[in-house]
Amino acid sequence: DVNVNQETIQTENANVDASEETGTGEKKAEQDEPTCKNPDSDGTCLPPSNLEECGIWLAPSSIPGAGLGMYAGRDFKKGEELQPSGEIVIPMIDINHHQYALGDQFFMLWDEYTWSATGLHMDHLGYVEVKVASPGFGSAANSFIDLVNVDELRPRHSIPHGLHRSRDPGAGAFSTYHDRQSTASVDIQKGEELFVDYGQQVSLNRYGWWWFRDRKHFGPVPLLGDLDTATSVFKRFLEMRQKHHKLRDEPFGDLWVSFVEKTDFDDSRSLAAFRKTEEEWRLLHQLKTLKEIRILEGLRTDEWLREHGTCADNMVEGESTIRQAGRGAFATRRLVKDSVIAPLPLIHIGDASILDMLEFEDIRTLKTENVTNGAQLTLNYCFGHRESSLLLCPYGPLTSLINHNQTQANVKLRWADAAKGNHEPELLERLVEHFAFDKTAKLAMELIALRDIQPGEEIFLDYGDDWEAAWQQHVQSWEPHPRAADYISAYQLDSSSERLLTEFEQMDRPYPENVQLRCDIKFFRSIDYDHFQQTGEITVLDYHTSEWVPCEILRFRVVNNQMRYTAVARVDENKNEKLTDAPKEAFKFLDNPYTTDMFLPNAFRHAMMIPDEMFPEYWMNL
Ligand SMILES: C[S@@+](CC[C@H](N)C(=O)[O-])C[C@H]1O[C@@H](n2cnc3c(N)ncnc32)[C@H](O)[C@@H]1O
């Protein structure tokens, strides 16, 4: 509450002024140290922001060699949302096909950080394969399958400010997928590292257990159940030692260490679960399980998080105050001048042309004249420089939502503190080729407040003169695409309260060619459907669990003042299923591939610019 904060500050100042007068007309000596709200580990006072309120931190992971991790800054109850709002999700459309057609050698670090669009219901946007960049939990959190404590849900789909391609030059320039929330899958205590599932379980919205299997460079990472197996192995080891008296007085851990290091078991994911430290050995002897030990080891104190981490929930999503910009980021709390307001770990793309898209006569046959037709939307979410092929795309929580404003910028960029995470400053003195093919993210920036920022203020960054000029040029030369006036998106149809048309009615009044109708097959198979049939109440119909299959409406009727539809769902290629008396909420329109605003040939594309004074000369390869 801004007013309360300001009042408190004013009252505090008034008290100070009163006590400063000593009666002799002299100011009281400045011997009184200011009360230190956020002392650093060595006692230095940090600017008095509200760091104690911070709910999510980015800091080095408790898993050795795993780079950054995310931590809980407070307790979370099972099911509670971990962030003030969910994340934006940015689709990459058939990127491999656009690249193979160019015949390039294709390496993309994003591949290590993207999610399957199928599980997030975004696969219909492309023909072959849609990958999605999901900053925050989707990219910055680690996976430790036996300790997973975070569930990541699906994004919502909506068009902010109702921008339309017939009148808005901003249409197609930002992602319409947003608010991908992350919730606590178990009770989480303050200081715990947060782990997501990359995942092990073959569930629909996850990549599948092969993620680690296909990444041999991580070594044998323990997967589901391996911590429990490892604990049993240790118990068996103790039993064996008790039986064999000679082994009993073995010096501390030696026999054990040689056992777990035995080369025959090199590939064992269970043995890899041991860290082989004396501390671990001691705790195992206290009959703690490896799971308990890992949670204990991963627990961080407030002091540690403040010293090694950066608060990552200082912002919340909202519709931007700049209409054409789409959504934006807003301060959740008072942010103090000169403080770090958000971490920006970066995914590098050595050659920006990887994001070029081609004009295909038909992408399914890859028939193309190799003519570039715009760029992936991802470009708008990355930083670049006019004299370099390098792009750096941030994946910190909510930071992808920050808009450009030259006159009202309240944050600026700087290179991150190497001690706080994934930043290797020596790369600023290496040529781009040196790290372009590196399979892990190694650079990070951070955002600094240029002045005090009050809760609810929109966060603005100056993307640079080049970006500003490109946007102005875009707005001046922009004209609506032919036939834009008639365009109706799936989102518009979904938002409309009009009755759905039957197959027969559509012969006279067809739905636009750019959409298809789907229905949620999961709903019909769930108890929610039975409940709905009995009571007419739509309880769950949850977009996080729904599974949308092609559907055609046969007829409709009114039951208890509610419109209900009977439809045929194409469950798979060979099977249709009849669905009776369903509510409208069980149906949804999807856009067809390559039809939404982001595919408009006149949609704005430009990287945000890294300021000249920060940009290393070594990287200037153009
Ligand atoms: C990093 S994204 C910012 C988040 C974006 N607004 C969204 O809704 O996802 C950068 C894109 O936001 C839009 N944008 C940011 N600042 C803008 C501005 N001042 N005017 C118009 N569009 C802006 C542009 O489309 C730009 O390419």
mmCIF file of all heavy atoms in Angstrom, residues 491-522:
data_model
loop_
_atom_site.group_PDB
_atom_site.id
_atom_site.type_symbol
_atom_site.label_atom_id
_atom_site.label_comp_id
_atom_site.label_asym_id
_atom_site.label_seq_id
_atom_site.Cartn_x
_atom_site.Cartn_y
_atom_site.Cartn_z
ATOM 1 N N TYR A 491 -9.838 -16.787 -30.539
ATOM 2 C CA TYR A 491 -10.049 -16.135 -29.247
ATOM 3 C C TYR A 491 -11.325 -15.297 -29.271
ATOM 4 O O TYR A 491 -12.127 -15.325 -28.337
ATOM 5 C CB TYR A 491 -8.830 -15.270 -28.911
ATOM 6 C CG TYR A 491 -9.041 -14.403 -27.695
ATOM 7 C CD1 TYR A 491 -9.201 -14.976 -26.444
ATOM 8 C CD2 TYR A 491 -9.106 -13.013 -27.813
ATOM 9 C CE1 TYR A 491 -9.421 -14.187 -25.314
ATOM 10 C CE2 TYR A 491 -9.328 -12.221 -26.702
ATOM 11 C CZ TYR A 491 -9.476 -12.813 -25.457
ATOM 12 O OH TYR A 491 -9.700 -12.043 -24.354
ATOM 13 N N GLN A 492 -11.557 -14.576 -30.396
ATOM 14 C CA GLN A 492 -12.780 -13.764 -30.488
ATOM 15 C C GLN A 492 -14.024 -14.660 -30.479
ATOM 16 O O GLN A 492 -15.003 -14.359 -29.804
ATOM 17 C CB GLN A 492 -12.779 -12.951 -31.783
ATOM 18 C CG GLN A 492 -11.951 -11.681 -31.699
ATOM 19 C CD GLN A 492 -11.876 -11.043 -33.071
ATOM 20 O OE1 GLN A 492 -11.175 -11.530 -33.956
ATOM 21 N NE2 GLN A 492 -12.620 -9.983 -33.268
ATOM 22 N N LEU A 493 -13.958 -15.760 -31.236
ATOM 23 C CA LEU A 493 -15.120 -16.659 -31.284
ATOM 24 C C LEU A 493 -15.382 -17.260 -29.910
ATOM 25 O O LEU A 493 -16.524 -17.377 -29.471
ATOM 26 C CB LEU A 493 -14.880 -17.775 -32.309
ATOM 27 C CG LEU A 493 -15.013 -17.362 -33.763
ATOM 28 C CD1 LEU A 493 -14.489 -18.454 -34.677
ATOM 29 C CD2 LEU A 493 -16.464 -17.036 -34.109
ATOM 30 N N ASP A 494 -14.303 -17.625 -29.218
ATOM 31 C CA ASP A 494 -14.449 -18.200 -27.883
ATOM 32 C C ASP A 494 -15.049 -17.205 -26.896
ATOM 33 O O ASP A 494 -15.779 -17.576 -25.991
ATOM 34 C CB ASP A 494 -13.083 -18.663 -27.342
ATOM 35 C CG ASP A 494 -12.796 -20.090 -27.748
ATOM 36 O OD1 ASP A 494 -13.759 -20.834 -27.989
ATOM 37 O OD2 ASP A 494 -11.606 -20.451 -27.832
ATOM 38 N N SER A 495 -14.688 -15.944 -27.079
ATOM 39 C CA SER A 495 -15.173 -14.929 -26.135
ATOM 40 C C SER A 495 -16.616 -14.535 -26.423
ATOM 41 O O SER A 495 -17.253 -13.872 -25.615
ATOM 42 C CB SER A 495 -14.321 -13.658 -26.208
ATOM 43 O OG SER A 495 -12.964 -13.974 -26.265
ATOM 44 N N SER A 496 -17.132 -14.929 -27.600
ATOM 45 C CA SER A 496 -18.473 -14.491 -27.970
ATOM 46 C C SER A 496 -19.531 -15.319 -27.231
ATOM 47 O O SER A 496 -19.334 -16.496 -26.934
ATOM 48 C CB SER A 496 -18.626 -14.649 -29.482
ATOM 49 O OG SER A 496 -19.911 -15.090 -29.804
ATOM 50 N N SER A 497 -20.667 -14.692 -26.963
ATOM 51 C CA SER A 497 -21.713 -15.420 -26.235
ATOM 52 C C SER A 497 -22.689 -16.096 -27.205
ATOM 53 O O SER A 497 -23.683 -16.664 -26.809
ATOM 54 C CB SER A 497 -22.456 -14.448 -25.321
ATOM 55 O OG SER A 497 -22.944 -13.389 -26.119
ATOM 56 N N GLU A 498 -22.398 -16.019 -28.517
ATOM 57 C CA GLU A 498 -23.332 -16.591 -29.490
ATOM 58 C C GLU A 498 -23.371 -18.107 -29.427
ATOM 59 O O GLU A 498 -22.372 -18.752 -29.108
ATOM 60 C CB GLU A 498 -22.923 -16.152 -30.895
ATOM 61 C CG GLU A 498 -23.463 -14.790 -31.203
ATOM 62 C CD GLU A 498 -23.241 -14.392 -32.634
ATOM 63 O OE1 GLU A 498 -23.184 -15.276 -33.506
ATOM 64 O OE2 GLU A 498 -23.103 -13.181 -32.870
ATOM 65 N N ARG A 499 -24.525 -18.628 -29.795
ATOM 66 C CA ARG A 499 -24.691 -20.084 -29.807
ATOM 67 C C ARG A 499 -23.769 -20.710 -30.864
ATOM 68 O O ARG A 499 -23.512 -20.111 -31.919
ATOM 69 C CB ARG A 499 -26.164 -20.388 -30.152
ATOM 70 C CG ARG A 499 -26.442 -21.854 -30.321
ATOM 71 C CD ARG A 499 -27.919 -22.132 -30.521
ATOM 72 N NE ARG A 499 -28.499 -21.603 -31.754
ATOM 73 C CZ ARG A 499 -28.253 -22.077 -32.972
ATOM 74 N NH1 ARG A 499 -27.398 -23.066 -33.156
ATOM 75 N NH2 ARG A 499 -28.848 -21.554 -34.035
ATOM 76 N N LEU A 500 -23.320 -21.925 -30.567
ATOM 77 C CA LEU A 500 -22.476 -22.621 -31.550
ATOM 78 C C LEU A 500 -23.357 -23.106 -32.706
ATOM 79 O O LEU A 500 -24.521 -23.459 -32.499
ATOM 80 C CB LEU A 500 -21.794 -23.821 -30.898
ATOM 81 C CG LEU A 500 -20.801 -23.505 -29.780
ATOM 82 C CD1 LEU A 500 -20.329 -24.788 -29.091
ATOM 83 C CD2 LEU A 500 -19.598 -22.741 -30.341
ATOM 84 N N LEU A 501 -22.778 -23.124 -33.901
ATOM 85 C CA LEU A 501 -23.558 -23.520 -35.072
ATOM 86 C C LEU A 501 -23.395 -25.009 -35.342
ATOM 87 O O LEU A 501 -22.301 -25.570 -35.195
ATOM 88 C CB LEU A 501 -23.071 -22.737 -36.298
ATOM 89 C CG LEU A 501 -23.202 -21.219 -36.199
ATOM 90 C CD1 LEU A 501 -22.622 -20.563 -37.448
ATOM 91 C CD2 LEU A 501 -24.666 -20.814 -36.015
ATOM 92 N N THR A 502 -24.506 -25.631 -35.755
ATOM 93 C CA THR A 502 -24.417 -27.055 -36.088
ATOM 94 C C THR A 502 -23.717 -27.187 -37.444
ATOM 95 O O THR A 502 -23.615 -26.213 -38.206
ATOM 96 C CB THR A 502 -25.816 -27.694 -36.207
ATOM 97 O OG1 THR A 502 -26.491 -27.054 -37.280
ATOM 98 C CG2 THR A 502 -26.595 -27.545 -34.913
ATOM 99 N N GLU A 503 -23.346 -28.419 -37.717
ATOM 100 C CA GLU A 503 -22.683 -28.713 -38.993
ATOM 101 C C GLU A 503 -23.562 -28.266 -40.162
ATOM 102 O O GLU A 503 -23.108 -27.693 -41.140
ATOM 103 C CB GLU A 503 -22.511 -30.227 -39.045
ATOM 104 C CG GLU A 503 -21.277 -30.704 -39.695
ATOM 105 C CD GLU A 503 -21.359 -32.214 -39.822
ATOM 106 O OE1 GLU A 503 -22.147 -32.851 -39.100
ATOM 107 O OE2 GLU A 503 -20.630 -32.728 -40.655
ATOM 108 N N PHE A 504 -24.863 -28.530 -40.010
ATOM 109 C CA PHE A 504 -25.835 -28.193 -41.053
ATOM 110 C C PHE A 504 -25.914 -26.672 -41.244
ATOM 111 O O PHE A 504 -25.853 -26.162 -42.362
ATOM 112 C CB PHE A 504 -27.192 -28.777 -40.630
ATOM 113 C CG PHE A 504 -28.205 -28.709 -41.709
ATOM 114 C CD1 PHE A 504 -28.046 -29.426 -42.892
ATOM 115 C CD2 PHE A 504 -29.351 -27.924 -41.552
ATOM 116 C CE1 PHE A 504 -28.988 -29.363 -43.895
ATOM 117 C CE2 PHE A 504 -30.294 -27.851 -42.554
ATOM 118 C CZ PHE A 504 -30.116 -28.566 -43.719
ATOM 119 N N GLU A 505 -26.019 -25.959 -40.134
ATOM 120 C CA GLU A 505 -26.104 -24.491 -40.215
ATOM 121 C C GLU A 505 -24.856 -23.893 -40.857
ATOM 122 O O GLU A 505 -24.912 -22.871 -41.543
ATOM 123 C CB GLU A 505 -26.276 -23.897 -38.813
ATOM 124 C CG GLU A 505 -27.651 -24.127 -38.216
ATOM 125 C CD GLU A 505 -27.707 -23.714 -36.750
ATOM 126 O OE1 GLU A 505 -26.742 -23.986 -36.004
ATOM 127 O OE2 GLU A 505 -28.709 -23.130 -36.338
ATOM 128 N N GLN A 506 -23.760 -24.563 -40.626
ATOM 129 C CA GLN A 506 -22.495 -24.018 -41.154
ATOM 130 C C GLN A 506 -22.410 -24.089 -42.678
ATOM 131 O O GLN A 506 -21.560 -23.447 -43.284
ATOM 132 C CB GLN A 506 -21.312 -24.766 -40.548
ATOM 133 C CG GLN A 506 -21.039 -24.389 -39.115
ATOM 134 C CD GLN A 506 -19.868 -25.173 -38.576
ATOM 135 O OE1 GLN A 506 -18.798 -25.193 -39.175
ATOM 136 N NE2 GLN A 506 -20.086 -25.852 -37.469
ATOM 137 N N MET A 507 -23.306 -24.888 -43.273
ATOM 138 C CA MET A 507 -23.280 -24.924 -44.741
ATOM 139 C C MET A 507 -23.636 -23.536 -45.290
ATOM 140 O O MET A 507 -23.123 -23.098 -46.311
ATOM 141 C CB MET A 507 -24.249 -25.989 -45.263
ATOM 142 C CG MET A 507 -23.705 -27.386 -44.977
ATOM 143 S SD MET A 507 -24.920 -28.664 -45.111
ATOM 144 C CE MET A 507 -25.043 -28.830 -46.854
ATOM 145 N N ASP A 508 -24.531 -22.838 -44.599
ATOM 146 C CA ASP A 508 -24.891 -21.476 -45.021
ATOM 147 C C ASP A 508 -24.008 -20.420 -44.389
ATOM 148 O O ASP A 508 -23.724 -19.379 -44.967
ATOM 149 C CB ASP A 508 -26.342 -21.159 -44.612
ATOM 150 C CG ASP A 508 -27.302 -21.934 -45.469
ATOM 151 O OD1 ASP A 508 -26.904 -22.291 -46.596
ATOM 152 O OD2 ASP A 508 -28.421 -22.213 -44.996
ATOM 153 N N ARG A 509 -23.625 -20.688 -43.135
ATOM 154 C CA ARG A 509 -22.850 -19.664 -42.392
ATOM 155 C C ARG A 509 -21.562 -20.299 -41.853
ATOM 156 O O ARG A 509 -21.441 -20.558 -40.658
ATOM 157 C CB ARG A 509 -23.675 -19.157 -41.203
ATOM 158 C CG ARG A 509 -24.934 -18.420 -41.615
ATOM 159 C CD ARG A 509 -25.905 -18.337 -40.449
ATOM 160 N NE ARG A 509 -25.347 -17.668 -39.284
ATOM 161 C CZ ARG A 509 -25.848 -17.782 -38.054
ATOM 162 N NH1 ARG A 509 -26.871 -18.552 -37.807
ATOM 163 N NH2 ARG A 509 -25.285 -17.123 -37.062
ATOM 164 N N PRO A 510 -20.641 -20.593 -42.733
ATOM 165 C CA PRO A 510 -19.441 -21.314 -42.249
ATOM 166 C C PRO A 510 -18.626 -20.475 -41.265
ATOM 167 O O PRO A 510 -18.622 -19.252 -41.361
ATOM 168 C CB PRO A 510 -18.640 -21.567 -43.524
ATOM 169 C CG PRO A 510 -19.154 -20.578 -44.509
ATOM 170 C CD PRO A 510 -20.558 -20.228 -44.132
ATOM 171 N N TYR A 511 -17.996 -21.164 -40.350
ATOM 172 C CA TYR A 511 -17.011 -20.482 -39.503
ATOM 173 C C TYR A 511 -15.820 -20.094 -40.371
ATOM 174 O O TYR A 511 -15.580 -20.712 -41.419
ATOM 175 C CB TYR A 511 -16.559 -21.401 -38.361
ATOM 176 C CG TYR A 511 -17.578 -21.495 -37.243
ATOM 177 C CD1 TYR A 511 -18.111 -22.725 -36.846
ATOM 178 C CD2 TYR A 511 -18.010 -20.343 -36.590
ATOM 179 C CE1 TYR A 511 -19.038 -22.795 -35.825
ATOM 180 C CE2 TYR A 511 -18.947 -20.418 -35.571
ATOM 181 C CZ TYR A 511 -19.454 -21.642 -35.189
ATOM 182 O OH TYR A 511 -20.378 -21.693 -34.185
ATOM 183 N N PRO A 512 -15.044 -19.070 -39.946
ATOM 184 C CA PRO A 512 -13.895 -18.666 -40.784
ATOM 185 C C PRO A 512 -12.936 -19.842 -41.021
ATOM 186 O O PRO A 512 -12.824 -20.733 -40.175
ATOM 187 C CB PRO A 512 -13.203 -17.589 -39.946
ATOM 188 C CG PRO A 512 -14.129 -17.228 -38.853
ATOM 189 C CD PRO A 512 -15.147 -18.294 -38.727
ATOM 190 N N GLU A 513 -12.270 -19.797 -42.158
ATOM 191 C CA GLU A 513 -11.356 -20.898 -42.515
ATOM 192 C C GLU A 513 -10.182 -21.026 -41.562
ATOM 193 O O GLU A 513 -9.519 -22.050 -41.502
ATOM 194 C CB GLU A 513 -10.788 -20.647 -43.913
ATOM 195 C CG GLU A 513 -11.705 -21.095 -44.994
ATOM 196 C CD GLU A 513 -11.156 -20.734 -46.353
ATOM 197 O OE1 GLU A 513 -9.985 -20.295 -46.431
ATOM 198 O OE2 GLU A 513 -11.914 -20.881 -47.326
ATOM 199 N N ASN A 514 -9.899 -19.949 -40.829
ATOM 200 C CA ASN A 514 -8.697 -19.968 -39.992
ATOM 201 C C ASN A 514 -8.920 -20.618 -38.626
ATOM 202 O O ASN A 514 -8.023 -20.615 -37.796
ATOM 203 C CB ASN A 514 -8.168 -18.534 -39.795
ATOM 204 C CG ASN A 514 -9.220 -17.593 -39.248
ATOM 205 O OD1 ASN A 514 -10.144 -17.224 -39.967
ATOM 206 N ND2 ASN A 514 -9.101 -17.226 -37.994
ATOM 207 N N VAL A 515 -10.131 -21.153 -38.391
ATOM 208 C CA VAL A 515 -10.352 -21.772 -37.078
ATOM 209 C C VAL A 515 -10.885 -23.186 -37.213
ATOM 210 O O VAL A 515 -11.371 -23.577 -38.267
ATOM 211 C CB VAL A 515 -11.356 -20.969 -36.206
ATOM 212 C CG1 VAL A 515 -10.838 -19.582 -35.913
ATOM 213 C CG2 VAL A 515 -12.723 -20.943 -36.847
ATOM 214 N N GLN A 516 -10.787 -23.931 -36.143
ATOM 215 C CA GLN A 516 -11.389 -25.269 -36.070
ATOM 216 C C GLN A 516 -12.033 -25.409 -34.702
ATOM 217 O O GLN A 516 -11.577 -24.803 -33.729
ATOM 218 C CB GLN A 516 -10.309 -26.341 -36.253
ATOM 219 C CG GLN A 516 -9.088 -26.075 -35.383
ATOM 220 C CD GLN A 516 -7.998 -27.098 -35.559
ATOM 221 O OE1 GLN A 516 -8.220 -28.257 -35.262
ATOM 222 N NE2 GLN A 516 -6.828 -26.650 -36.009
ATOM 223 N N LEU A 517 -13.095 -26.216 -34.658
ATOM 224 C CA LEU A 517 -13.793 -26.409 -33.386
ATOM 225 C C LEU A 517 -13.279 -27.676 -32.699
ATOM 226 O O LEU A 517 -13.078 -28.699 -33.349
ATOM 227 C CB LEU A 517 -15.305 -26.532 -33.631
ATOM 228 C CG LEU A 517 -16.156 -26.610 -32.368
ATOM 229 C CD1 LEU A 517 -16.071 -25.310 -31.562
ATOM 230 C CD2 LEU A 517 -17.619 -26.910 -32.718
ATOM 231 N N ARG A 518 -13.055 -27.576 -31.411
ATOM 232 C CA ARG A 518 -12.589 -28.739 -30.644
ATOM 233 C C ARG A 518 -13.490 -28.935 -29.418
ATOM 234 O O ARG A 518 -14.147 -27.990 -28.990
ATOM 235 C CB ARG A 518 -11.160 -28.506 -30.137
ATOM 236 C CG ARG A 518 -10.132 -28.325 -31.230
ATOM 237 C CD ARG A 518 -9.500 -29.645 -31.560
ATOM 238 N NE ARG A 518 -8.593 -29.532 -32.672
ATOM 239 C CZ ARG A 518 -7.353 -30.030 -32.650
ATOM 240 N NH1 ARG A 518 -6.880 -30.606 -31.573
ATOM 241 N NH2 ARG A 518 -6.602 -29.956 -33.730
ATOM 242 N N CYS A 519 -13.485 -30.145 -28.883
ATOM 243 C CA CYS A 519 -14.167 -30.321 -27.599
ATOM 244 C C CYS A 519 -13.273 -31.079 -26.637
ATOM 245 O O CYS A 519 -12.361 -31.795 -27.038
ATOM 246 C CB CYS A 519 -15.521 -30.985 -27.772
ATOM 247 S SG CYS A 519 -15.479 -32.477 -28.713
ATOM 248 N N ASP A 520 -13.564 -30.896 -25.367
ATOM 249 C CA ASP A 520 -12.701 -31.426 -24.308
ATOM 250 C C ASP A 520 -13.134 -32.852 -23.967
ATOM 251 O O ASP A 520 -14.078 -33.061 -23.204
ATOM 252 C CB ASP A 520 -12.823 -30.520 -23.074
ATOM 253 C CG ASP A 520 -11.972 -31.021 -21.927
ATOM 254 O OD1 ASP A 520 -11.215 -31.996 -22.128
ATOM 255 O OD2 ASP A 520 -12.076 -30.457 -20.828
ATOM 256 N N ILE A 521 -12.410 -33.802 -24.527
ATOM 257 C CA ILE A 521 -12.790 -35.197 -24.358
ATOM 258 C C ILE A 521 -12.625 -35.640 -22.893
ATOM 259 O O ILE A 521 -13.361 -36.482 -22.403
ATOM 260 C CB ILE A 521 -12.006 -36.110 -25.344
ATOM 261 C CG1 ILE A 521 -12.625 -37.498 -25.415
ATOM 262 C CG2 ILE A 521 -10.549 -36.191 -24.995
ATOM 263 C CD1 ILE A 521 -13.940 -37.498 -26.130
ATOM 264 N N LYS A 522 -11.698 -35.039 -22.217
ATOM 265 C CA LYS A 522 -11.477 -35.394 -20.795
ATOM 266 C C LYS A 522 -12.734 -35.087 -19.977
ATOM 267 O O LYS A 522 -13.095 -35.812 -19.073
ATOM 268 C CB LYS A 522 -10.313 -34.593 -20.216
ATOM 269 C CG LYS A 522 -8.952 -35.177 -20.537
ATOM 270 C CD LYS A 522 -8.400 -35.941 -19.327
ATOM 271 C CE LYS A 522 -7.131 -36.678 -19.637
ATOM 272 N NZ LYS A 522 -5.985 -35.826 -19.775
#
